Amino acid sequence: MSPTSTSRARSKELLAVEVLLPENHEIKNLRSIKPFVSSLFPTVKVEMRPSIGEQVEDEQMEAVASSLASARVKDPTRSEQDFEPMYGELDYERRVLEGEARAGGILYDGRILEDIFSKILRPKVDRASIVLTDRLVSTFSRDDLRHHLRTIVCGFPSIVSLPGIVEAPAKPREYYLIKQKLELQGAGELRIEQLKSSFKGRFLDYDDARTIEVVKGLVFQAVMFHLTLEPFCEKRGCRLFNAHWQEDLIRSQITSAKLCKDHTRQLKALSSCPSIAW
Amino acid sequence: MPIFEKSSESSVTRAIISQFAKDMDGFADTDVIIIGGGPSGLMAARDLALKKVRVLVVERNNYLGGGFWIGGFLMNTITIRAPAQKVLDELGVKYKMYEKGLYMTPGPLACSKLISAACEAGVSILNMASFDDVVLREKNRVAGAVVNWTPVGALPRNITCVDPVALESKLIIDATGHEATVVRKLEERGLIKVPGFGAMWVEKSEDAVVEHTGFCHPGLIVTGMAVSTTFGLPRMGPTFGSMLLSGRRGADVAYKYLKGKK
Ligand SMILES: [Zn+2]
């Protein structure tokens, strides 16, 4: 059954949440997502599953590698990309799927990834599928006609981009100003590292231990999307706030890490009966 | 007593010419030609030569090393991220830890050691020579490079009658940095399509540079920043660690191919 064509499913209840682990097997504490989701939705079964590549059957490997290679965003100013994947790109995608190459550093169209993952996972209405990925993910914005990096792309399945947590929400404006100046002067990695440390705490960098808290919050947003189709909150202190700035992300997911009054009430109801509202 | 032994000017000239003629005779047909003698090209050259592969590096400047001599801000401290410091260990380059996983070393030290390692491994070098065109064989496989002396490019148009020479090889490695000169030449000929600029800036995409190192066309391997241009990867600042590891991977891919051919 397609999740988008189910007006009959009004009385459906969410039975399971499946979280697919990212490709690079690096962040160890991801397993703590399971008790976190269970604590929010005690009636729902939470499964942590191996990465998307391990869900692809051998005979599908070539086709999936080819669609992934075609899902790349090479020109962020175009909503649709028009290119033939190169041999090296197909080979790379196959190696990532087989766990022989590291994912990361390539930008993919989140909506196309959703389609590809959906064919592999065949999501069900009563099961929320959430793919954690080490890929960079963007979606095209009609507002300014360009692709923007995302932390989360809500859908069936929802996609949470782990490098997106570092790369997508904007850092403080002063950081970019100083960084740009340094780059114009040809400053190297060392100066950039020093600059980063002078902004310590104001944005998340790679290997930050607090990242797991953000991942949990994004997984929560994905579950809320599956239940209500409205995953985000307007209030900056709420864990459902869709942060576009690092400082907001840190506040909503780490410093405050709470729900606003309305969402606390909503979660209380959903906790005992996670009914799907669409 | 004079300090130096006597030798005639003509002997000096003959020594230079005879050795050069011998070298060029070898260059005319070799296993791998690497275009660009920066960190990724030298790394690939050294690793291949250590495995008894005949390698020629074509460098357009008189000096080798590319951007490896200086780090950022024209200051000569080079930073290397783990695990690339292991390459420094192999080359015998001393370094200091800046913070966990980030190491630093003087550029002149790392660069000169890398050049020396490549030369000692048996790499041949043709410097002050520029890549001009590719040699193509059946099914447009790249099978060599056409090169010319770099100063010829600076001559007025009406006297550019200095014809280049063609050097044959089993493989070419494009290690020409952001310019991706060899790949661009294939693009001019309509054999490959390189994405335009405009890729996003990200903090980190060095994994992708290393992982995409390899064949981009039959007979042609790309390494280093040329990988970034060829595949339109997100842009990032220079990271020398990824250049070294990309060169190493390029050598692995080339070696496997050459072994498979035998
Ligand atoms: Zn709220």
Side-chain angles (χ1 to χ4, degrees):
Chain A
M1 188 170 5
S2 145
T4 42
S5 62
T6 48
S7 51
R8 284 174 290 133
R10 270 183 205 292
S11 59
K12 278 256 182 194
E13 219 176 270
L14 182 68
L15 300 178
V17 170
E18 60 172 352
V19 179
L20 279 89
L21 292 167
E23 297 84 354
N24 292 349
H25 308 288
E26 262 162 21
I27 308 178
K28 288 181 196 78
N29 41 11
L30 287 175
R31 297 269 165 196
S32 66
I33 293 169
K34 185 174 171 159
F36 170 76
V37 178
S38 294
S39 72
L40 299 173
F41 305 98
T43 64
V44 175
K45 189 178 171 213
V46 186
E47 284 174 54
M48 303 299 284
R49 300 183 61 196
S51 71
I52 197 87
E54 289 169 71
Q55 317 296 328
V56 180
E57 283 157 29
D58 284 351
E59 58 269 27
Q60 292 299 314
M61 207 54 104
E62 287 300 315
V64 174
S66 162
S67 3
L68 284 168
S70 308
R72 291 178 178 218
V73 176
K74 293 189 177 179
D75 183 352
T77 62
R78 294 174 60 171
S79 65
E80 277 165 42
Q81 313 285 314
D82 172 30
F83 67 92
E84 277 286 306
M86 286 185 257
Y87 164 79
E89 291 168 330
L90 291 170
D91 183 55
Y92 168 79
E93 295 301 344
R94 195 177 44 237
R95 284 186 289 122
V96 172
L97 288 171
E98 286 169 351
E100 287 167 13
R102 291 168 51 81
I106 310 290
L107 185 58
Y108 299 86
D109 186 317
R111 289 296 161 210
I112 303 178
L113 279 194
E114 186 195 344
D115 277 352
I116 298 169
F117 294 167
S118 164
K119 282 183 191 128
I120 299 167
L121 297 173
R122 300 197 187 93
K124 297 191 183 85
V125 177
D126 57 11
R127 162 185 284 259
S129 302
I130 301 156
V131 178
L132 306 185
T133 181
D134 287 307
R135 298 169 194 269
L136 285 167
V137 171
S138 70
T139 57
F140 190 77
S141 162
R142 298 274 155 212
D143 299 337
D144 58 359
L145 300 178
R146 56 178 292 124
H147 276 265
H148 290 273
L149 288 162
R150 303 293 179 199
T151 51
I152 182 167
V153 176
C154 289
F156 304 95
S158 286
I159 300 166
V160 173
S161 165
L162 302 183
I165 293 170
V166 175
E167 306 277 5
K171 298 178 176 67
R173 281 196 177 96
E174 311 92 277
Y175 171 81
Y176 292 111
L177 289 174
I178 302 173
K179 190 175 176 222
Q180 198 179 22
K181 211 186 264 174
L182 285 173
E183 274 161 359
L184 280 175
Q185 295 168 345
E189 220 175 351
L190 216 53
R191 269 306 279 123
I192 305 288
E193 286 300 321
Q194 285 164 349
L195 172 66
K196 276 184 184 173
S197 58
S198 73
F199 279 82
K200 207 171 172 62
R202 293 176 68 188
F203 56 78
L204 291 166
D205 200 357
Y206 290 99
D207 306 322
D208 192 311
R210 300 171 300 168
T211 305
I212 182 63
E213 291 312 310
V214 182
V215 180
K216 286 179 188 167
L218 296 172
V219 167
F220 179 39
Q221 292 178 358
V223 179
M224 288 303 276
F225 172 80
H226 197 95
L227 289 167
T228 66
L229 299 183
E230 277 169 22
F232 301 129
C233 177
E234 299 287 302
K235 298 191 185 73
R236 281 182 157 183
C238 181
R239 206 148 191 194
L240 296 176
F241 184 70
N242 184 19
H244 286 88
W245 291 87
Q246 284 282 340
E247 284 170 317
D248 288 337
L249 186 78
I250 290 172
R251 183 180 348 164
S252 57
Q253 300 298 343
I254 298 166
T255 336
S256 144
K258 279 188 277 208
L259 285 173
C260 69
K261 267 188 199 156
D262 291 346
H263 281 112
T264 308
R265 212 176 302 128
Q266 190 187 16
L267 178 67
K268 210 175 160 193
L270 287 170
S271 242
S272 49
C273 175
S275 55
I276 292 161
W278 40 275
Chain B
M1 263 300 266
I3 298 174
F4 296 106
E5 290 272 355
K6 261 193 183 169
S7 71
S8 69
E9 294 295 330
S10 59
S11 298
V12 173
T13 305
R14 282 200 187 97
I16 295 172
I17 291 177
S18 64
Q19 184 58 43
F20 180 75
K22 225 170 113 188
D23 286 347
M24 278 311 275
D25 191 66
F27 299 165
D29 171 23
T30 185
D31 291 329
V32 181
I33 297 174
I34 298 177
I35 311 293
S40 83
L42 287 173
M43 191 68 211
R46 174 219 180 236
D47 278 7
L48 283 169
L50 282 179
K51 289 178 172 162
K52 305 286 171 227
V53 173
R54 290 177 306 144
V55 190
L56 171 66
V57 171
V58 177
E59 167 57 51
R60 67 177 171 188
N61 295 301
N62 59 351
Y63 64 91
L64 292 165
F68 205 35
W69 289 105
I70 44 175
F73 201 29
L74 299 180
M75 292 184 291
N76 61 18
T77 294
I78 296 284
T79 47
I80 299 275
R81 268 178 205 285
Q85 87 282 5
K86 290 181 190 154
V87 175
L88 299 184
D89 290 332
E90 278 178 49
L91 298 174
V93 178
K94 291 204 176 87
Y95 53 85
K96 281 192 280 194
M97 187 162 91
Y98 176 73
E99 58 183 37
K100 195 175 166 286
L102 185 64
Y103 303 90
M104 50 187 190
T105 185
L109 175 65
C111 193
S112 58
K113 285 269 192 181
L114 178 59
I115 295 168
S116 136
C119 293
E120 280 174 4
V123 172
S124 304
I125 311 258
L126 187 59
N127 47 348
M128 280 305 265
S130 297
F131 167 82
D132 208 79
D133 206 347
V134 283
V135 174
L136 293 175
R137 287 286 177 267
E138 78 291 338
K139 290 184 189 160
N140 289 323
R141 179 176 62 87
V142 175
V146 178
V147 301
N148 208 339
W149 298 120
T150 301
V152 173
L155 291 175
R157 268 165 186 261
N158 55 340
I159 45 169
T160 51
C161 52
V162 186
D163 282 340
V165 291
L167 308 173
E168 288 185 26
S169 64
K170 300 187 178 97
L171 288 175
I172 295 278
I173 294 180
D174 184 342
T176 59
H178 265 305
E179 292 173 36
T181 315
V182 186
V183 173
R184 291 279 181 207
K185 187 55 83 173
L186 287 185
E187 188 177 35
E188 262 175 47
R189 287 169 168 247
L191 295 175
I192 201 169
K193 182 139 175 37
V194 177
F197 283 103
M200 279 189 196
W201 272 99
V202 296
E203 295 287 344
K204 204 167 90 174
S205 68
E206 53 202 323
D207 288 355
V209 170
V210 179
E211 296 287 7
H212 282 73
T213 298
F215 280 101
C216 71
H217 185 86
L220 178 63
I221 290 171
V222 272
T223 65
M225 289 319 272
V227 174
S228 202
T229 305
T230 305
F231 293 100
L233 304 183
R235 289 184 285 165
M236 54 164 190
T239 72
F240 293 110
S242 62
M243 297 303 101
L244 296 175
L245 294 188
S246 169
R248 167 149 289 174
R249 191 187 188 98
D252 282 345
V253 173
Y255 187 67
K256 272 186 199 136
Y257 171 83
L258 294 170
K259 239 176 89 183
K261 263 185 81 114
K262 267 177 198 162

